[in-house]
Amino acid sequence: MRMTDTDKNRIIDLNHALTLKAQEDMRNVKRQHKMLVDNSVANRDAILRLYHADLILLAAHSQNDITNAIATILPDILDVAAARLISTPESACANASHVHVIPMDAFHELTCMNGIFLGPANPAQQAICAAANITKPDSIACVRLPDDLPGTNGAALLMLTGKNKDSFTASHGTELLEQLVMKIAVALAARPVSDT
């Protein structure tokens, strides 16, 4: 059967539509690939930073060495504005250098009773920053050190202040920070308070 001119006019050429769809699919694949590469690079960088922090903890001879390194070296390693160890008076590290000591009720406000806090600084966190001569941060991370290690008394946490509002947000993962505070807690428990 022969196709008439009317039949030919009714045929829709989908080649152009298929080409546009294929181009859009390729753009989506490229975007997804870039996201995967960016995430991989960010994860590699985070793991490398944690590794450098591990080396600092291993090199420390005393709790003072550890707390001094947290305040002076850790900010550069982690690319944060400031880092401090905060403890209650009963903590074994309360007398170490660069440790800010606060009562337990104020301590709980730093993590909003959750053990970990990431986001904009609350009034309690801002007060600690002011007392520790740390510039008011746009974002903050407060991660409690585990207190179930042998010989551990009181409570302590690692406070990191971000360089901008996106440094620490509630949507960020916490696994590397939790690993870091576990290693800090073990290092503190394994070292004497002073170099003597």
Side-chain angles (χ1 to χ4, degrees):
M1 182 170 164
R2 258 184 100 172
M3 199 179 282
T4 65
D5 287 340
T6 305
D7 292 336
K8 289 179 183 176
N9 288 338
R10 289 184 187 156
I11 295 175
I12 299 171
D13 184 4
L14 295 178
N15 285 332
H16 182 68
L18 290 172
T19 301
L20 290 176
K21 174 73 171 122
Q23 289 172 343
E24 181 61 29
D25 289 344
M26 284 300 294
R27 283 191 290 273
N28 286 336
V29 167
K30 286 180 182 178
R31 276 193 291 272
Q32 290 173 354
H33 180 262
K34 183 178 180 341
M35 285 175 27
L36 288 172
V37 169
D38 290 348
N39 285 340
S40 177
V41 168
N43 285 340
R44 185 202 67 207
D45 289 347
I47 290 169
L48 187 59
R49 291 176 193 276
L50 185 62
Y51 174 72
H52 287 154
D54 292 348
L55 295 177
I56 296 300
L57 294 173
L58 285 171
H61 295 290
S62 68
Q63 288 185 3
N64 282 329
D65 285 349
I66 294 168
T67 56
N68 184 52
I70 288 170
T72 61
I73 300 171
L74 203 58
D76 286 336
I77 292 173
L78 298 180
D79 193 28
V80 297
R84 290 290 189 286
L85 207 59
I86 313 296
S87 83
T88 60
E90 304 80 25
S91 174
C93 67
N95 294 322
S97 63
H98 299 287
V99 175
H100 195 79
V101 181
I102 60 173
M104 185 59 91
D105 57 337
F107 183 86
H108 287 307
E109 291 179 32
L110 298 179
T111 62
C112 300
M113 300 293 286
N114 290 327
I116 191 162
F117 175 91
L118 301 174
N122 66 31
Q125 295 159 345
Q126 290 176 16
I128 294 298
C129 288
N133 292 323
I134 297 171
T135 305
K136 181 182 172 185
D138 291 324
S139 63
I140 198 164
C142 291
V143 187
R144 187 171 176 160
L145 275 63
D147 52 8
D148 56 355
L149 295 173
T152 304
N153 296 323
L157 65 80
L158 176 66
M159 182 180 76
L160 304 172
T161 62
K163 291 184 173 180
N164 57 57
K165 67 180 181 64
D166 296 323
S167 295
F168 299 108
T169 68
S171 64
H172 285 152
T174 61
E175 185 177 333
L176 291 177
L177 287 174
E178 290 169 348
Q179 286 180 32
L180 177 60
V181 297
M182 174 60 81
K183 292 172 182 182
I184 290 171
V186 169
L188 287 169
R191 306 295 194 284
V193 174
S194 67
D195 297 315
T196 58

